[in-house]
Amino acid sequence: MFKRPILSGRPTVAEIDLEALAFNYRQIRKRVPKRTGILAVVKADAYGHGALPISHKLEELGAEYLGVAISQEGVELRRGGVKAPILILGGIFPEEEEEVIRNDLTPVIFEMDSLVRLSKIAGRKRKKIKVHLKVDTGLGRLGVPFDQFPVFLKELKKVRNIEIEGILSHFSMTDREEAYSSSQWKKFQEVLAIAREAGLKSRYFHMANSANLTFFTQYSGNMVRPGIMLYGSYPSPKIEKLINLKPVLTLKTRIHFLKSVPAGTRISYGGTFSTRRESLIATLPVGYADGYSTFLSNQGEVLIRGRRAPVVGRVCMDLIMVDVTDIPGASKGDEVILIGRQGRERITADEIARKIGSISYEVLCLIGKRVPRVYR
Ligand SMILES: *Cc1c(COP(=O)(O)O)cnc(C)c1O
């Protein structure tokens, strides 16, 4: 989990604005009916924002459930004092079952074997174990295949000491493509109808992620599972900004070293950049080991004194160089924004994602362990 850095002189930090998180959370609340629960997704260290502080804030905001990808993430939250129900979205492995139950984590289940094993554990502990049952309606990733669900349900009747607290599925489309999403939603409705007929009563049924909360709020169930939106980014770089969100994370540093060089000076490994004029080149203490992708070599931009400065030469493991010749007054120690706002300029995770052919999720998740997260 989050540890204070041993030495904190290096100015490369990720500032996390918990008020922006609260703002985004309320934006989502406004979009769904009053009774709809929010399962806030905090997997992958809360998309790089620090799972524990983010989860505590989400609990305080009233999130009904938290979602992690893997068991270890759930155990870490429990050790950090998180009390809210926690769903393990990615399923669990046999070796983890005991510990998952001991930590009161709710697994997503999609195989009979695993239900049978959990049922035995429950019998031994003389308690009911809660699980959420996942059905694949068209993503092709995890879940009981849609057409096998009726048979699965028959088998399920024989399994004791298990409470199916929720039934879920997951959408495939990340932008506005209603035909496929609505076909998945129809299948999910069929699944729920079959379950109801078989006498299976589940408290929650949920399917919507950020993309669906943006476009098709009618496909919500009685709980929704936003992830990226909570952090103020959009589920697709192409997405229309239909919802006003505030980016939660700012990645910043300071100018570490500054030098004036003549025209024709090669900068960084491989000499992929040479100055075309007498230039002022700043070296910044951030590199790909901090999550600043090598695909930003000769491509990225940063903000200094409210203006954009281009990354020149290759991104190194721990350092990058930027050309500040056109930034009047640029000095050693100046604040540099890699992701975030400065004056009227702004660089979003989505902008970086577009440049490197990725998605904002990956840009945020890549921010390295050695970058301290500082909470406001
Ligand atoms: C990651 C994830 C989400 C959240 O997705 P976003 O696009 O970040 O909103 C929801 N449900 C499941 C099963 C997930 O794996």
Side-chain angles (χ1 to χ4, degrees), residues 39-43 47 67-69 87 89-90 108 134 139 141 168-171 174 206-213 224-231 234-235 361:
L39 182 155
V41 180
V42 296
K43 63 190 177 190
Y47 295 46
V68 296
L87 189 64
L89 296 164
V108 164
K134 187 159 195 180
L139 176 60
R141 195 170 71 177
L168 72 150
S169 191
H170 198 39
F171 283 109
T174 56
H206 47 107
M207 185 153 178
N209 56 5
S210 295
N212 280 82
L213 281 165
V224 293
R225 303 193 306 264
I228 197 76
M229 286 170 87
L230 285 168
Y231 308 103
Y234 297 84
Y361 301 69

Side-chain angles (χ1 to χ4, degrees), residues 6-53:
I6 297 166
L7 261 179
S8 50
R10 191 178 188 239
T12 307
V13 298
E15 260 181 23
I16 309 296
D17 180 353
L18 293 173
E19 283 317 304
L21 177 75
F23 176 86
N24 298 334
Y25 180 86
R26 288 186 202 108
Q27 291 292 87
I28 297 166
R29 264 279 175 246
K30 272 194 232 158
R31 291 182 79 77
V32 296
K34 256 216 163 66
R35 296 251 177 95
T36 307
I38 293 186
L39 182 155
V41 180
V42 296
K43 63 190 177 190
D45 205 23
Y47 295 46
H49 293 65
L52 200 49

Side-chain angles (χ1 to χ4, degrees), residues 50-340:
L52 200 49
I54 294 287
S55 297
H56 282 310
K57 183 69 184 181
L58 288 164
E59 275 189 303
E60 181 192 314
L61 289 166
E64 280 74 12
Y65 236 108
L66 298 173
V68 296
I70 66 177
S71 305
Q72 188 193 339
E73 293 171 342
V75 173
E76 277 168 3
L77 291 184
R78 285 286 180 252
R79 287 191 187 154
V82 172
K83 298 280 185 296
I86 298 173
L87 189 64
I88 304 172
L89 296 164
I92 63 172
F93 299 91
E95 298 79 2
E96 301 172 337
E97 286 162 354
E98 289 277 356
E99 181 136 16
V100 162
I101 304 312
R102 202 164 40 241
N103 282 280
D104 197 21
L105 305 169
T106 315
V108 164
I109 296 292
F110 35 82
E111 282 173 311
M112 198 45 73
D113 291 8
S114 130
L115 275 175
V116 170
R117 280 194 307 271
L118 287 174
S119 158
K120 281 189 190 138
I121 297 175
R124 233 188 301 125
K125 292 188 188 267
R126 299 212 166 76
K127 65 176 212 180
K128 272 206 159 189
I129 289 178
K130 282 182 188 168
V131 304
H132 286 211
L133 183 59
K134 187 159 195 180
V135 183
D136 185 358
T137 54
L139 176 60
R141 195 170 71 177
L142 292 176
V144 179
F146 172 71
D147 49 8
Q148 291 167 30
F149 183 67
V151 177
F152 191 91
L153 207 53
K154 272 195 196 117
E155 295 277 306
L156 184 63
K157 283 208 164 145
K158 301 180 210 151
V159 181
R160 304 177 47 190
N161 304 316
I162 296 286
E163 178 190 339
I164 308 290
E165 188 198 33
I167 302 181
L168 72 150
S169 191
H170 198 39
F171 283 109
S172 153
M173 301 313 293
T174 56
D175 41 32
R176 190 196 280 277
E177 217 260 65
E178 186 156 12
Y180 198 74
S181 293
S182 87
S183 83
Q184 281 195 271
W185 181 249
K186 273 199 200 101
K187 284 185 178 168
F188 191 52
Q189 293 309 304
E190 269 181 62
V191 163
L192 297 179
I194 297 167
R196 231 178 290 122
E197 265 166 49
L200 183 68
K201 288 198 189 79
S202 293
R203 174 159 174 210
Y204 295 116
F205 43 103
H206 47 107
M207 185 153 178
N209 56 5
S210 295
N212 280 82
L213 281 165
T214 307
F215 299 125
F216 314 118
T217 42
Q218 68 274 29
Y219 306 151
S220 292
N222 65 2
M223 190 151 75
V224 293
R225 303 193 306 264
I228 197 76
M229 286 170 87
L230 285 168
Y231 308 103
S233 282
Y234 297 84
S236 152
K238 293 180 294 185
I239 218 152
E240 307 130 79
K241 304 277 190 285
L242 291 174
I243 307 180
N244 180 23
L245 299 170
K246 291 187 179 164
V248 173
L249 179 143
T250 299
L251 182 62
K252 55 158 73 169
T253 188
R254 291 189 179 277
I255 294 181
H256 185 33
F257 181 61
L258 200 59
K259 60 179 179 286
S260 182
V261 296
T265 305
R266 284 163 61 144
I267 301 291
S268 196
Y269 289 120
T272 60
F273 178 86
S274 285
T275 54
R276 262 151 289 164
R277 53 177 177 172
E278 189 186 341
S279 303
L280 195 58
I281 302 293
T283 303
L284 310 179
V286 61
Y288 62 78
D290 301 296
Y292 201 77
S293 169
T294 55
F295 292 110
L296 292 163
S297 302
N298 292 311
Q299 282 244 42
E301 286 180 325
V302 303
L303 305 179
I304 300 172
R305 296 187 177 234
R307 294 178 194 230
R308 285 174 179 255
V311 172
V312 289
R314 280 204 197 138
V315 169
C316 308
M317 186 186 282
D318 317 298
L319 299 161
I320 60 174
M321 274 62 78
V322 295
D323 185 345
V324 295
T325 315
D326 297 325
I327 298 181
S331 312
K332 181 180 160 87
D334 276 358
E335 180 193 73
V336 180
I337 299 293
L338 302 145
I339 300 175

